Amino acid sequence: MAQEAQEIQETPARNDLPRDESGALDKKSRRVQQMFGRIAPRYDLLNRVLSLNTDQRWRRRTVRMAKPAGPVLDVCTGTGDLAAAFAHATGDQVVGVDFCAPMLVRGKDKKACRSVRFARGDALALPLPSDRFDVVAVAFGIRNVADLDQGLRELVRVARPGGRVAILEFTMPRGRIFGAFYKLYFGRILPFLGNLVSRSRAYTYLNSSVLEWASREELAQRLQAAGCERVEVHPLTFGIAAVHLGVKAS
Ligand SMILES: C[S@@+](CC[C@H](N)C(=O)[O-])C[C@H]1O[C@@H](n2cnc3c(N)ncnc32)[C@H](O)[C@@H]1O
């Protein structure tokens, strides 16, 4: 892992990605980065309260499904909760990458993230070598990435052949009653409380990004197109969220 950490610092970002001519992040990426920068101080608190701590249970389920047996990368790591869950389960060092410095700072301060190696980087151009990680995971992050297919290709690129890519994301529940409750909660209650506590409009964006997000089937197909085989979808808690699990083709 010491060598890994050094590579994180030294591998230059690829330059064929959605950046404007001056080399800066594109508009959507910049907006997302600034938004998470603003809500970083209250991000964990809001997650716990708004999900009644279910978010942490989902992360632990993701770790169990991914069955890590080697180096793990957590992309869009934010404040490091998924990375911490992997570190707790494996005892191994885990790498967490995110492009939002204020989120990473929160993660670095956490006791549970002691053994996590954080690095700043764009999910669309991961500053990491190919074919390296046993598990490449992302929780509630890929939905925010400006180019989904490029983001998925990057997850697959850095996984070792035969390694797993695990994506934990919100999805639309299917049942009529639960679907209606979900729309009410996501459409009204969550943005109201989230915006109030974070003192921003971020939770209005988060709400619409979930409602406009790809279906489970579409995400599974796109993960396959990015280079994964045997893609499985595991719905969680009445289908509010799901783990997509794929194996990088050897
Ligand atoms: C909703 S948070 C999820 C954080 C964490 N994975 C969790 O489970 O709480 C989304 C994170 O994705 C990051 N993100 C979005 N687009 C990114 C990109 N292109 N490159 C790196 N990080 C990105 C944001 O900075 C933010 O920290």
Side-chain angles (χ1 to χ4, degrees), residues 25 29 32-33 36 43-44 47 55 59 74-82 97-100 103 121-124 138-146 206:
L25 291 171
S29 296
V32 167
Q33 190 186 43
F36 281 103
Y43 177 78
D44 285 347
N47 269 354
D55 62 318
R59 290 186 185 90
D74 177 23
V75 179
C76 298
T77 190
T79 59
D81 280 341
L82 183 65
V97 174
D98 200 287
F99 67 5
C100 178
M103 292 287 274
D122 187 349
L124 294 171
V138 54
F140 311 114
I142 201 75
R143 176 174 35 91
N144 299 293
V145 166
L206 288 177

Side-chain angles (χ1 to χ4, degrees), residues 34-50:
Q34 286 167 354
M35 185 191 75
F36 281 103
R38 278 194 299 274
I39 65 174
R42 292 180 187 80
Y43 177 78
D44 285 347
L45 170 72
L46 275 165
N47 269 354
R48 301 303 175 269
V49 173
L50 295 174

Side-chain angles (χ1 to χ4, degrees), residues 132-207:
R132 177 55 57 97
F133 293 92
D134 184 51
V135 172
V136 179
V138 54
F140 311 114
I142 201 75
R143 176 174 35 91
N144 299 293
V145 166
D147 179 340
L148 173 62
D149 293 315
Q150 175 59 25
L152 294 174
R153 281 194 293 271
E154 278 295 272
L155 300 181
V156 177
R157 178 182 68 78
V158 296
R160 69 165 177 80
R164 270 92 54 230
V165 173
I167 301 173
L168 169 61
E169 254 309 343
F170 289 110
T171 57
M172 268 300 192
R174 300 263 156 88
R176 265 216 342 237
I177 295 173
F178 205 77
F181 166 76
Y182 179 87
K183 278 192 183 139
L184 174 73
Y185 186 69
F186 258 90
R188 308 237 170 226
I189 300 170
L190 188 140
F192 174 73
L193 290 176
N195 289 341
L196 191 73
V197 177
S198 69
R199 295 185 209 128
S200 73
R201 302 276 301 150
Y203 284 77
T204 302
Y205 158 79
L206 288 177
N207 151 57

